[in-house]
Every structure is written in C-alpha cells, then in structure tokens.
Amino acid sequence: MREGARLRLDYSARSLWQVDRTIEEIRRQGAPLAAVETALRGFGAYAGEVLVRLTGGEWWTGDGDHRVRTPDGRVWDPVEEARRCYRGDGSLRLLCRDAARVAEN
C-alpha cells in the first residue's frame, strides 16, 4: 500500500491524517467503490495495525471480517471506517483518536 500510494507511513496515529487525505483524493477522482475496495481494505488494515500498536489491542476475526479489539473489550472496524471515509462520512484518524481515548480510561 505504501509503495503504490507513495506514502511514508510509520504506524503513528499522526500518519492516519495522510491516509484520510489520500482516500479523499481517490474519492474526488470518482472511481466506484468496487474499483477501490482492495485499496480501502489495505488502508483499513494499516489503520487497524496503528490501533493495535497504540492501544495494546489485538486483531479479532468474526464473521470473516477483521476488526480490532481494544483491552477494554470494545471492537473497532477500521476497514469499514475506510469505506465510510471513501463515502465522505468517516475518518481513520478520528477512529484512532476515539479508540485511544477509550483505552486510556
């Protein structure tokens, strides 16, 4: 994902700003969701790994989907959030911020 999009990603919460912006740029190009689904899954998986590293969570698989479970037991779906970003209605950066806040408490 990093190679194709020419992104320099370091698994920091801050790097998700770049990912959100890249998804927005792809959306503005007008490609149908089906055409960019693989890229969105990659961006979501990257965001999920950021969540795991930031919160001490773990990858969790249910119903064939991959999500992140944080130590407080909450389950986060970064792949679906990437799709919401593409529809103009989500943010991987904000998902990570929210998960980190919950994990702190």
Side-chain angles (χ1 to χ4, degrees):
M1 183 53 56
R2 290 181 289 181
E3 296 296 323
R6 294 187 179 162
L7 296 175
R8 293 193 182 270
L9 303 175
D10 60 4
Y11 294 98
S12 68
R14 233 178 102 176
S15 71
L16 294 176
W17 179 84
Q18 282 184 282
V19 175
D20 279 348
R21 196 171 99 198
T22 300
I23 292 171
E24 172 63 22
E25 289 173 12
I26 294 168
R27 184 172 70 87
R28 277 190 265 136
Q29 294 174 6
L33 178 63
V36 296
E37 178 65 28
T38 300
L40 294 175
R41 288 185 65 79
F43 286 131
Y46 171 78
E49 187 59 26
V50 171
L51 284 172
V52 165
R53 293 177 184 203
L54 183 68
T55 66
E58 63 185 2
W59 283 100
W60 180 74
T61 304
D63 300 328
D65 292 325
H66 293 82
R67 296 180 181 97
V68 173
R69 181 178 295 182
T70 51
D72 66 348
R74 291 191 63 178
V75 177
W76 305 84
D77 192 342
V79 173
E80 182 56 32
E81 189 68 16
R83 291 182 190 114
R84 282 194 289 272
C85 288
Y86 188 73
R87 292 190 297 264
D89 156 22
S91 169
L92 293 168
R93 181 181 58 83
L94 295 178
L95 176 79
C96 184
R97 183 198 68 190
D98 293 345
R101 283 183 181 167
V102 169
E104 287 175 357
N105 296 328

